[in-house]
Amino acid sequence: MSRARQPPLVTGISPNEGAPWTKVTIRGENLGTGHNDLIGLSICGHNCLLTAEWMSASKIVCRVGPAKDDKGEIIVTTKSGGRGMSTVSFKLLKPERIGILDQSAVWVDELNYYDMRTDRNKGISPLSLRPANPLGIEIDKGKVPLKDLENMFPGMSGDFTSENFSATWYLMENHSSTSFEQLRAAVGSLKKQASKKNEGSLAYVKGGLSTFFEAQDALAAIHQKLESDGTEKVEGSMTQRLENVLNRASETADTLFQEVLGRKDKADSTRNALNVLQRFKFLFNLPLNIERNIQKGDYDVVINDYEKAKSLFGNTEVPVFKKVYSEVETRIEALRKLLLDKLLETPSTLHDQKRYIRYLSDLHAPGDPAWKCIVAQHKWILQLMQNCKEDFITEQKVCGVGLEVDRSSALNRISLSAPVKRGGSFQTPKDDSWHYKSPQQVRFVEKLSDVVISQLPNFWKLWISYVNGSLFSETGEKSGQVEKLKKNARQRQNDFKVRKAAGMVLLSHEALSALEIPNDLLQVIQDLLQDLRVHCLLTTLQHTEEDVKRLAEKEDWVVDNEGITSLPAQFEQCMVQMLQSLKEPMECKPGEINIFNLDVVQDKACEQCVSIMKVFIKCLEQLSTKTDGDIDTSHLSVDLASPDLFGSIQEDFSSKPEQRLLIILSNCQYLERRTFLNLAEHLEKNGFTTAEKIVRVSIEALRQLDEYLFETYVEKKSDPIVGSLEPGIYAGYFDWKDCLPPTGVRSYLKEALVSIISVHAEVFTVSKELVPRVLSKIIEAVAEEMSRLMQCVSSFSKNGALQARLEICALLDAIEPYLTSESRTSFKQALEALPQLQSGTDKKLLEELLNKFKSSMKLQLNCFKPASFQPVKR
């Protein structure tokens, strides 16, 4: 595993102080691996991510925003390193109004028209000059914080050119430590400046008062003389002659200087045109510069130039300026269309989307570009999902598979997986080959989920940025555009929540938390995820129950050395694969609720699991009751690992219903002893807290089936044996009162023993462990019948008593390993019903006849002698 990346560390910033929108360079360590890795940048508490330009892992360039804090840290957040730290700080300076005659570190016209975006539409006229220090005394700033002044004088201003000017604010801000005497002197200075301003034009009149009087007297004398002559309106009058003289003088002057004056006028016109071109070359060159910058992709430069031109010439009445500015607007309109097309292109990164939205906002694009982008992204995600669906349908058609669900999928996986190891617990294969054999519908859902998960996080971040207004630049905010867009966003938010929730159910709680989703919407999604998990759990259990019902079709009746078929292992494999398929959907991330902790879910899951177990037990019962005609032997095969199968099972396998009962009994014993315990362990590991209850109820049902099958088998085998005893005893009109001396054990008893041996062989062939249990029960029936027959005899002759004792003792000695307390009691009662042997000759004869019987039946009786078998009482 690779070493975890360290968190970002900011060690330097240049410059370390400045006004809002100052361009700064941040240096440090582990500042990210690229644009996409940088997810957060704040200076003095203001989010500067939109203006950030990642240069390298040790350098980031951005602009400082209008933060509320005067001084603060620089915090960098990356995907790879998380939230970082800072060893330096940045001091935010308050921007001041600067007059044209004041010293400044920036161009005054750019400050008014461009950089100070708050004054972009105002502009300071060169004619509105004002003194920097109206009081004429030394200014002492910084004593009272600006925030305190704003709180003390709400709605007022310390700018003496403002309509809301507050003199108290101005004095506290600029002269908080000035003495009263200095302020009194400042009042006198203000009075002098006011008096000078009021006397302005009057002073010029006082200085040339005599000249005004002389001119007034001359005009009055001329007017009086003209009135006395009365000839001012007569041809040849003095005024008429004077006018004619002046006209001739003008014509003569024009004749003499017309060419010279014409050249002068042309030169002046050319000079003025050149001056205009030189003075306003920014405007005249702007259309070409816009075209070039658009081709280079320098949209920020284009926007800045446009804002400057708009503030200078937006309301001009000069025709040539209007013509050039209209060309600029044409270029800007083309740029708006280009940026909108780029914004709506898919696919695109979140960084590009935010950038284009900011550009369009700065250009005052009509409508709501951010919402158009969100709608376009939504349509694109829906189209990707539709394409996924169409690809799935095409694949289905190519493969010739219908759209209906194949409910035998679990059984198919069982049959296609590695061969089941008989007699052992199912082990999960090390490879995940079974996963790739999942149904096509499952693969379709997985692919569809991948599509949604890959697109939804960025889509959600775009929406969050749209709602909180961080998508838009300060241009739109100051012009009121953002507030309008935010209002639109709030109107669309409720509808967006509902539609968005439907697409987010495939994401985990951890992924959802990273998207900063509101708690109310997140809770709705959590509830939906929980309901989906519960539905997935119960549906999977129901499908598993359907699969288990069809396990009977997979029974091959091939018995291994432990006396079981593959059916228990197939059942365990089916259950384990079901739990494996539930593992991923049921896995909970931090903060999510584990549905297995809900009592209602546990009860339903327990009920469904018990139902699955009982369904399997029902399958065993159905297999036990099938007739020979119901058995499909076309799929039967021989397990080469079991050498015992080359005998009777292979020869006439399906012709013995009793043998099938034995096989199912053996499977029942294995299920109780191994399979169900293994399943309890698997259930507990996968969160089923009621595993103990599930197994307990299942074992009870299994034992009921076992007892029923066992009694059925014993009845089928014991009834013929018990039924043959009485006819055999009295064959040939045998009479206990009148019989010959015994010469040996009669044939009926030997036949009964051979029948018991036959049962022993049949049971032993299937399961050695069933032998004591079956034979003990059969012998109990035989012993009970022998006791009844002996007790029904009214009297015995000497020979009859000896014959009866010989046969009972021979039977006792032969089946002694399988005697139970009940069978011993029955034999004891049978012997007590016989007369006791009186003479030693009879006892000796009895012993000789018993030995003879054992010797003649030695080979047959050896099957009853294995030391490892003990009688079993159930």
Side-chain angles (χ1 to χ4, degrees), residues 438-488:
S438 58
Q440 289 184 336
Q441 286 82 1
V442 175
R443 297 199 298 273
F444 164 68
V445 173
E446 291 176 350
K447 184 178 179 181
L448 190 64
S449 302
D450 292 340
V451 169
V452 176
I453 291 173
S454 64
Q455 300 299 326
L456 204 53
N458 285 340
F459 188 32
W460 177 258
K461 291 177 182 177
L462 179 65
W463 165 253
I464 291 299
S465 300
Y466 173 68
V467 173
N468 60 29
S470 61
L471 277 176
F472 312 107
S473 66
E474 291 298 320
T475 303
E477 189 171 355
K478 295 302 179 182
S479 65
Q481 185 178 7
V482 162
E483 293 304 322
K484 179 180 179 181
L485 296 177
K486 282 184 177 180
K487 183 178 179 181
N488 293 338

Side-chain angles (χ1 to χ4, degrees), residues 199 240 321 474 658 722 762:
E199 293 176 357
Q240 184 65 43
F321 292 167
E474 291 298 320
E658 296 86 354
V722 171
E762 184 177 75

Side-chain angles (χ1 to χ4, degrees), residues 378 452 456 459-460 493-507 512 517 520-526 528-529 532:
H378 178 251
V452 176
L456 204 53
F459 188 32
W460 177 258
Q493 188 169 6
N494 291 333
D495 177 62
F496 184 83
K497 282 182 180 180
V498 176
R499 293 193 298 172
K500 197 69 172 178
M504 301 180 75
V505 296
L506 299 174
L507 293 177
L512 293 174
I517 299 174
D520 55 346
L521 178 57
L522 189 60
Q523 185 60 45
V524 173
I525 297 172
Q526 288 177 357
L528 183 56
L529 285 172
L532 284 175

Side-chain angles (χ1 to χ4, degrees), residues 777-790:
K777 199 68 176 178
I778 292 177
I779 288 171
E780 285 181 5
V782 172
E784 182 180 357
E785 179 66 10
M786 289 295 291
S787 174
R788 183 188 69 83
L789 292 174
M790 294 299 107

Side-chain angles (χ1 to χ4, degrees), residues 422 556-559 633-640 645:
R422 301 171 185 274
D556 54 8
W557 302 104
V558 177
V559 182
T633 60
S634 60
H635 64 285
L636 298 182
S637 60
V638 178
D639 186 358
L640 298 179
L645 298 176

